Amino acid sequence: MHNILDELKERDLLKQYTNEEKIKNAQNEGAGIYCGFDPTADSLHVGHLIQIINLKRFKDFGFAPIAIIGGGTGMIGDPSFKSEERNLLTLEQVEKNIQGIKKQLDFLIPDISVVNNNDWLGKMSLIDFLRDIGKDFNLAYLLAKENISSRIEKGLSITEFSYTMLQGYDFFRLYEDKNCWVQIGGSDQWGNITSGTDYIASKVGRENSKACGITMNLLTKKDGVKFGKTESGAIWLDKTKTSEYEFYQFFFNQDDEDCDKLFKFLTTLSVEEIKSINEEHSKAPFKRIMQRRLAQEITKFVHGETGLEKAEKITEALFSGNIIDLKKEELLSIVNSMQKIKVENNKEILEFLIDSKIASSKREARELLNDNAITINNINNFKEGTLIDENMFTVDNFIIVKKGKKKYIVIEITQE
C-alpha cells in the first residue's frame, strides 16, 4: 500500500503539508488525524463532503479518524477569508447543531471519534487563556498569517483574532489526549493548522513534536465557483432538508467537465477505475454514465443502499412517466426538487395551461390537448372545459404535470 501523500497527489487533492517524514510516521503508527466542523447548522452539507471523505480515506490508510465539532470556537466564528463575522449562536442552538452533526458523522464513518472543543474551552477562564495559550503566540507571527492579515483593513475583532490560537490549542489537546498527530483542512486553513503545529512544538519541544498538517485543494467547478453553492441554497446531508432524490439529482446533473474532479475528490474509487468510467462515458456521452455512477456512489455513501434505491426508484418513475404509484414521501421529493408555479384552484384546463406557462396561448394549449401531450396522474386524454380542482391534486395541494415525453412541471394550487 502506498502512503497517504501519494494517494492525495494522485487525486490532485494535495495543496500543502508541513513535514513529509512526520506524516509517513503517523501513518505507520496508526496515529489520530482530525479536521474540524463548525456547528453553524444541525446538518452538514455537500461542501463538507470533501473533508468527510478525506477522513474515511485516511482511515483506509490506517489512521484513526477524529472529528472535532467547534462547540466553543463555533460561538466565535472563523476569520478565514470571510468578508464579515458570523452571526453568533446561542448555547442551545450550538448544542442542537452538535447533536445533528455527530449523528451524521457516526453514520458516515463508523468508529470515528467525535469530540466537542467546548469540553475544554468552555471551562477555561480569560486568565487561563492569556496565561496558558496567549503567551505562546507572538503578535508579529499572528499578523503575518494571511487569514488574519487579509481581514485587518476590513475589520477584525479581538474575538475572531483569537480563533487561530484556540484552534492551535485544540490540536494540542487532541495531540496529548488522543494521540492525534495530524490535522487536515481546506487550503484556507493553512494558517490555523500551522498555528497548531507551532504551538505543540512550543509545548513539547520542536525536536520531539510529531505534529504535522496537510491542506487540500478547494473543490471548485469549471467556472471557478466553490462546489456546493447553488441558487436554491445548500444541498444538505440530512434527508429531511434535502431528499435522497434531490441529492442524487444534484450529482446526476453535474457537467462532464466537473465529473472527473468530483470522482477524485468525493469518492474512494481508485484513479484507475475513475479513468475506466471516463473512457466508457466518452463513447456515449448522452447516456450520462459518469453522472449516474457519481450520483450512485455519493448517494450510497451518504444515504446508504436504501436511500440510493429510493432515489433511483423516483428517477425511473419520472423517466417512465409512471409516478402515480410512488408514495407520498417520494412524490413530495419530486415537488421539493423543482421550481413551483402558483395557479389558482378551479381553473378550466386551457386557462390552467396558460397561467402555469405550460402553454403560451389557447391555440398551443388546444394543440397539446389534441396531441395527448399533457399528462396528469397518468391521464392524458383531457378535453376542453375540464376543470382543474382538488380531485386532480397529485400530492397535497400540488399537481405534477408532464408535458410531452420528458418535461415535468410542478404546479402549486392556491385557493382563490
Side-chain angles (χ1 to χ4, degrees), residues 38 73 76-86 146-152 155-165 167 188-189 192:
D38 282 328
T73 45
I76 296 169
D78 178 356
S80 300
F81 303 112
K82 309 290 191 303
S83 59
E84 57 186 27
E85 292 193 25
R86 294 173 179 165
E146 188 180 356
N147 57 335
I148 291 174
S149 63
S150 63
R151 282 283 309 280
I152 293 276
L156 183 70
S157 69
I158 290 294
T159 307
E160 281 201 305
F161 181 69
S162 304
Y163 184 96
T164 193
M165 291 182 274
Q167 188 168 320
D188 55 350
Q189 288 295 314
N192 290 330

Side-chain angles (χ1 to χ4, degrees), residues 275-289:
K275 186 178 179 184
S276 174
I277 294 167
N278 282 341
E279 288 171 354
E280 189 183 354
H281 175 88
S282 65
K283 294 172 186 173
F286 65 92
K287 291 183 179 179
R288 300 182 70 78
I289 291 167

Side-chain angles (χ1 to χ4, degrees), residues 40-46 48 104 233-243 247 302-303:
T40 50
D42 60 2
S43 170
L44 300 172
H45 53 72
V46 295
H48 294 113
Q104 289 178 330
I235 304 297
W236 299 99
L237 307 193
D238 183 341
K239 66 181 180 182
T240 65
K241 294 176 181 286
T242 300
S243 72
F247 188 88
V302 173
H303 295 295

Side-chain angles (χ1 to χ4, degrees), residues 221-284:
K221 301 181 73 170
K222 62 178 182 180
D223 55 8
V225 174
K226 198 172 179 180
F227 181 76
K229 302 291 184 185
T230 66
E231 290 181 13
S232 57
I235 304 297
W236 299 99
L237 307 193
D238 183 341
K239 66 181 180 182
T240 65
K241 294 176 181 286
T242 300
S243 72
E244 298 97 325
Y245 167 72
E246 291 173 86
F247 188 88
Y248 179 95
Q249 286 297 314
F250 173 75
F251 288 98
F252 186 75
N253 289 319
Q254 296 300 319
D255 289 340
D256 284 9
E257 294 173 55
D258 292 320
C259 281
D260 184 65
K261 190 186 234 186
L262 291 171
F263 267 119
K264 288 178 180 175
F265 278 48
L266 299 181
T267 78
T268 53
L269 295 180
S270 69
V271 172
E272 291 75 23
E273 193 169 355
I274 294 167
K275 186 178 179 184
S276 174
I277 294 167
N278 282 341
E279 288 171 354
E280 189 183 354
H281 175 88
S282 65
K283 294 172 186 173

Side-chain angles (χ1 to χ4, degrees), residues 329-374:
E329 175 198 0
E330 294 164 346
L331 289 167
L332 286 172
S333 291
I334 297 172
V335 167
N336 292 332
S337 70
M338 297 185 185
Q339 287 188 322
K340 289 165 273 294
I341 300 168
K342 292 185 178 182
V343 175
E344 287 183 2
N345 198 15
N346 295 314
K347 292 272 188 179
E348 187 271 325
I349 193 163
L350 291 183
E351 196 176 356
F352 168 82
L353 292 174
I354 292 168
D355 287 357
S356 61
K357 298 182 173 58
I358 293 172
S360 59
S361 64
K362 284 192 174 182
R363 178 182 174 183
E364 185 187 353
R366 287 191 183 98
E367 288 175 357
L368 289 169
L369 294 180
N370 291 337
D371 293 339
N372 293 338
I374 297 296

